Amino acid sequence: MKDKKIYLIANLFLVCFLFSCTNKLKTDWEMRSPDGKIVAHLHMTESGQLTYQVSMGDGNEKFVLVEDSPLGIIRKDQHFDTLNFVSHERLKTVGESYNLSTGKRLLNRNHYNEFSFRFKNENGALLDIICRTYDDGFAFKYIFPESDESKYIVERELTGFDLPEGNAWMQPYDKPTAYAPAYERNYEGEMPVGTSSPGEEGWCFPALYEVNNHWVLISEANLKGNFYGSHLAATAENGLYKIVPPLENEAFGYGHVYAESHLPWEMPWRMIIVGDELADILESNLVTHLADSSQINDPSWIKSGRASWAWWSGYLDNTNDTPEKLRKYIDFAHEMSWEYSLIDAGWDYRKGFDLKEMAEYARSRNVKLLLWYNSGGPINRVNAGPRDKMFDPEIRREEMKRIAALGISGVKIDFFSSDKQDFMRLYNDILKDAAEFKLLVNFHGCTVPRGWSRTYPNLIAMESVIGEEGYIYHSHYENGAPLHCTILPFTRNVVGPMDYTPVAFSVQQVPHKTSYGFELALSVVFETGIIHFADQVEMYKRQPAGVLQFLKDVPAAWDDTRLLSGYPGDDVVLARQKGGDWYIGGINGEDINKKIEVDFGFLDGGENYVATIIADGEDNKSFNISTKSVSNESVETIDVLPIGGFSIQLKRIN
């Protein structure tokens, strides 16, 4: 009997020991990217708090890029901050290809490892965390997997991003107004990681960091109508940036700052792009990799392109949309072989304007029309029209049906002024309805892209940037624009199309410090599905023939994009490919002369190209145009003025 007791005690001890070891094994999980260089760790503390870490290395050396950072979510009925482990599985390794209708790279390979973790809180309520490791980043999302038709409320996330010491480039979140938040403040930096935002509103997504000799960009992806748009808190003590919901007074208090949905409930991806080089950030399409697949079965009707635009150049004399001027801009689009012409605000009440007649005239000139709308709604205090045509679903669908029947190709919808869930739902509903009527969509006064261009390829452009309009509305913009423009390719434009409305040589209310060469280069440096050229017809026609030919030829969607050189705030040189041809744009954000070296080593070996180089001239309002033959062994040094720029068109010699 004594031996039996000893045997039972020994077995009990063994079971307890094994149980303890098993639990220990289930408090830390490693996840590697397909190439093994990016490693994410999920860790559970003894008290049940979850953290994650992201590092990068080649086996000999490890660089921690995101230190142990908090996970968790607070629901009104349940807290998911102290958790117990339930299960874990590596779901799959995926290697798929998909096409975009516009963007920095149309054919994309989506290659990742996916891991699923299930936890429960002290009440037994379940929380899943899905993680993906990519060769260029890491992402995770929360899911409440249980089923219940009742409405549940997420009050806030505990999610954070704990960055090591380093540098940051970030955009302050807007103070709520009738026009904001609209992501229309200048990016700031470089500044130390952990710097507080200028106001209590916080920081925007996306945010760029240089830490441990590597680069990190954080944002969110695949945001649907079941959640709000997040941003980062105003303070980041010791580099810990925390996710926060929209501000209460956005949209003058309309809508909730919390999110609500029935169960199951899948939330947006929290996305971290990482790399050894800035090119890894700029060239990444991780935001669309994480988005749902296209909801449009046949996207062949969706075409990128270039557009004439009468509004910017007529702002001061209020002649931006008279019928006579609009026809002139349609004619110019025809002369330039541009696909579109945009009719902006106020067309619904302008004397002598008839939409049917204008659509017929544009059709006769082989130009497609795009129409501006105010997003409208009960709290929209911007009176510009047409308004209240896009907020109510029935009215919206009727208006879309009407203009589609007239041959209108797309809509530009403005003034959303909030990232609350109601507005995320509105964005998604507009895209869905527009797709049904085969209308392109360009959002202005809006949130930042979150991968929607993959799910709804008819989303051809989004503003969410202070662009050429800054030279009308903001007296400070001439001083901030050069720095801002050299940060945007590494931040805002990484996550999706950016309707900056570039290439304005003339002056509206605020003069340019940038050179004509700088302005021309923006047509390549910035990416958007439709390039709305901002300036006057007369100003473009005064430019040299080589500049006009470049504007005729420059595409709006690309087969590939390469960062050739640059650093945010200093300068940037980008190469973009369309078919067998390449286009290069370079801008200097500093007020000093530079000699910028362009290495053509990215070109195919054994091929020769004719390079048309459009550089700064003797002053900042002139060009120096030259032509030469180049190959992938060529290197060209270009003289660039202070706050100047250059463009190069490369045509393959058959």
Side-chain angles (χ1 to χ4, degrees):
M1 190 69 179
K2 182 179 178 181
D3 291 341
K4 189 174 182 180
K5 285 182 180 180
I6 293 173
Y7 174 79
L8 288 172
I9 291 171
N11 273 277
L12 182 61
F13 175 80
L14 180 61
V15 169
C16 290
F17 174 78
L18 290 174
F19 182 76
S20 174
C21 288
T22 303
N23 274 3
K24 276 190 174 182
L25 290 173
K26 292 181 179 177
T27 60
D28 192 85
W29 300 267
E30 180 182 278
M31 299 165 281
R32 288 187 174 270
S33 60
D35 66 5
K37 292 182 179 179
I38 295 174
V39 180
H41 282 95
L42 187 65
H43 176 71
M44 176 180 283
T45 67
E46 291 184 2
S47 54
Q49 280 79 48
L50 283 177
T51 65
Y52 73 96
Q53 181 194 91
V54 181
S55 61
M56 190 172 185
D58 57 7
N60 297 319
E61 197 169 10
K62 172 184 172 183
F63 299 92
V64 175
L65 306 182
V66 181
E67 297 176 334
D68 289 339
S69 302
L71 294 169
I73 198 160
I74 303 299
R75 221 165 63 190
K76 186 176 182 179
D77 65 307
Q78 303 267 3
H79 287 197
F80 294 84
D81 52 354
T82 302
L83 299 167
N84 294 300
F85 173 71
V86 176
S87 63
H88 156 240
E89 58 182 316
R90 175 172 170 173
L91 290 181
K92 54 190 173 183
T93 295
V94 172
E96 63 177 5
S97 295
Y98 67 91
N99 290 288
L100 296 173
S101 294
T102 187
K104 69 183 82 170
R105 186 178 305 102
L106 299 186
L107 177 60
N108 292 272
R109 184 167 185 256
N110 190 15
H111 188 203
Y112 60 88
N113 294 327
E114 184 170 291
F115 306 82
S116 174
F117 302 87
R118 174 161 290 182
F119 302 93
K120 62 182 178 181
N121 68 5
E122 57 188 8
N123 298 319
L126 298 178
L127 174 68
D128 289 352
I129 300 178
I130 310 299
C131 301
R132 287 185 184 176
T133 51
Y134 289 81
D135 291 344
D136 60 347
F138 173 68
F140 59 89
K141 66 180 176 181
Y142 302 107
I143 298 176
F144 295 124
E146 296 164 299
S147 296
D148 193 333
E149 289 301 315
S150 303
K151 285 291 180 71
Y152 289 83
I153 290 174
V154 165
E155 295 181 327
R156 61 188 174 93
E157 282 188 50
L158 303 177
T159 308
F161 307 87
D162 194 352
L163 279 299
E165 289 185 2
N167 299 318
W169 292 261
M170 304 178 74
Q171 182 186 48
Y173 197 70
D174 288 316
K175 293 180 183 293
T177 69
Y179 303 94
Y183 296 81
E184 292 183 3
R185 296 178 68 173
N186 284 22
Y187 265 85
E188 299 184 3
E190 60 189 71
M191 55 189 163
V193 166
T195 300
S196 296
S197 62
E200 61 184 11
E201 297 80 23
W203 296 107
C204 298
F205 285 135
L208 176 69
Y209 308 93
E210 183 183 20
V211 295
N212 286 333
N213 297 313
H214 287 66
W215 294 91
V216 177
L217 183 135
I218 61 175
S219 195
E220 63 179 0
N222 207 34
L223 175 60
K224 304 176 185 178
N226 67 353
F227 212 75
Y228 50 70
S230 304
H231 63 282
L232 298 172
T235 58
E237 187 175 351
N238 297 320
L240 176 57
Y241 294 88
K242 294 183 178 180
I243 283 183
V244 292
L247 305 176
E248 178 68 43
N249 54 343
E250 291 180 21
F252 302 102
Y254 176 85
H256 304 298
V257 295
Y258 56 77
E260 63 178 7
S261 177
H262 57 75
L263 305 184
W265 190 356
E266 179 180 313
M267 278 145 274
W269 290 100
R270 279 54 187 99
M271 177 186 81
I272 305 168
I273 303 174
V274 300
D276 301 288
E277 307 288 343
L278 266 170
D280 299 321
I281 305 297
L282 186 146
E283 297 171 15
S284 174
N285 260 343
L286 187 54
V287 68
T288 52
H289 293 351
L290 292 164
D292 286 350
S293 299
S294 175
Q295 300 299 297
I296 299 175
N297 292 328
D298 179 11
S300 60
W301 56 272
I302 300 169
K303 304 294 184 184
S304 63
R306 294 75 47 83
S308 61
W309 182 41
W311 182 88
W312 189 90
S313 60
Y315 181 80
L316 289 180
D317 59 13
N318 200 31
T319 63
N320 49 34
D321 53 6
T322 63
E324 295 76 19
K325 185 173 183 180
L326 292 174
R327 281 192 286 270
K328 180 174 74 173
Y329 276 73
I330 290 170
D331 290 342
F332 187 59
H334 173 77
E335 292 173 31
M336 297 293 288
S337 300
W338 294 346
E339 295 81 359
Y340 300 98
S341 190
L342 170 62
I343 298 177
D344 217 283
W347 59 265
D348 59 328
Y349 55 79
R350 291 300 182 193
K351 184 178 179 180
F353 180 86
D354 184 285
L355 180 58
K356 182 178 179 181
E357 289 180 1
M358 195 63 69
E360 290 174 351
Y361 182 77
R363 190 179 304 111
S364 74
R365 305 294 284 158
N366 197 30
V367 174
K368 300 173 184 178
L369 286 188
L370 309 168
L371 292 181
W372 185 97
Y373 285 86
N374 186 329
S375 66
I379 49 76
N380 188 311
R381 300 186 186 180
V382 182
N383 292 323
R387 57 163 293 150
D388 299 323
K389 297 289 187 181
M390 293 292 150
F391 191 84
D392 179 87
E394 291 185 13
I395 296 173
R396 176 174 65 242
R397 290 178 57 79
E398 188 62 33
E399 179 70 359
M400 287 181 171
K401 180 180 179 181
R402 180 182 80 89
I403 63 174
L406 293 175
I408 302 303
S409 292
V411 290
K412 171 184 174 181
I413 306 175
D414 210 340
F415 304 132
F416 288 87
S417 73
S418 180
D419 275 2
K420 293 178 182 177
Q421 183 181 351
D422 296 74
F423 294 87
M424 298 303 112
R425 187 182 299 117
L426 178 60
Y427 286 122
N428 280 268
D429 289 347
I430 287 172
L431 291 170
K432 182 178 180 180
D433 289 343
E436 181 178 339
F437 295 103
K438 294 188 175 180
L439 292 170
L440 306 177
V441 176
N442 176 11
F443 289 132
H444 264 233
C446 62
T447 193
V448 289
R450 290 176 168 89
W452 295 336
S453 291
R454 180 184 179 189
T455 310
Y456 293 102
N458 57 321
L459 177 59
I460 204 80
M462 296 179 76
E463 187 183 28
S464 40
V465 68
I466 180 171
E468 293 289 354
E469 288 183 19
Y471 291 109
I472 294 176
Y473 295 125
H474 304 287
S475 60
H476 61 81
Y477 192 60
E478 67 168 316
N479 294 319
L483 176 76
H484 181 57
C485 287
T486 56
I487 297 174
L488 289 173
F490 304 109
T491 52
R492 163 61 184 85
N493 215 179
V494 172
V495 298
M498 185 178 73
D499 192 17
Y500 184 93
T501 64
V503 194
F505 303 130
S506 61
V507 174
Q508 287 296 316
Q509 299 199 85
V510 180
H512 290 67
K513 285 189 171 181
T514 55
S515 75
Y516 281 14
F518 185 111
E519 290 295 318
L520 181 64
L522 296 182
S523 62
V524 177
V525 172
F526 296 154
E527 178 274 312
T528 182
I530 294 182
I531 305 173
H532 294 94
F533 291 106
D535 217 334
Q536 306 165 6
V537 169
E538 294 78 9
M539 177 57 80
Y540 287 134
K541 287 186 174 182
R542 287 202 293 268
Q543 303 312 311
V547 171
L548 275 178
Q549 189 62 51
F550 186 89
L551 291 172
K552 286 181 180 180
D553 293 344
V554 65
W558 306 96
D559 296 322
D560 199 7
T561 293
R562 307 278 183 88
L563 174 65
L564 302 187
S565 64
Y567 188 86
D570 292 353
D571 49 58
V572 57
V573 182
L574 281 174
R576 300 190 192 269
Q577 181 185 23
K578 186 68 173 181
D581 299 337
W582 286 84
Y583 293 77
I584 298 174
I587 57 174
N588 173 16
E590 297 184 289
D591 197 12
I592 56 174
N593 288 292
K594 289 185 180 179
K595 292 182 178 294
I596 294 182
E597 190 175 273
V598 178
D599 188 334
F600 294 94
F602 63 89
L603 296 173
D604 291 337
E607 300 284 350
N608 290 312
Y609 295 78
V610 174
T612 301
I613 303 171
I614 307 175
D616 290 322
E618 293 183 357
D619 57 45
N620 68 355
K621 291 181 172 57
S622 63
F623 295 99
N624 180 15
I625 302 175
S626 60
T627 301
K628 59 180 59 181
S629 177
V630 300
S631 70
N632 71 338
E633 296 179 354
S634 301
V635 177
E636 186 74 18
T637 299
I638 299 177
D639 292 322
V640 183
L641 290 176
I643 315 175
F646 63 90
S647 304
I648 303 175
Q649 183 177 16
L650 295 164
K651 285 192 167 292
R652 181 181 289 170
I653 300 172
N654 293 326

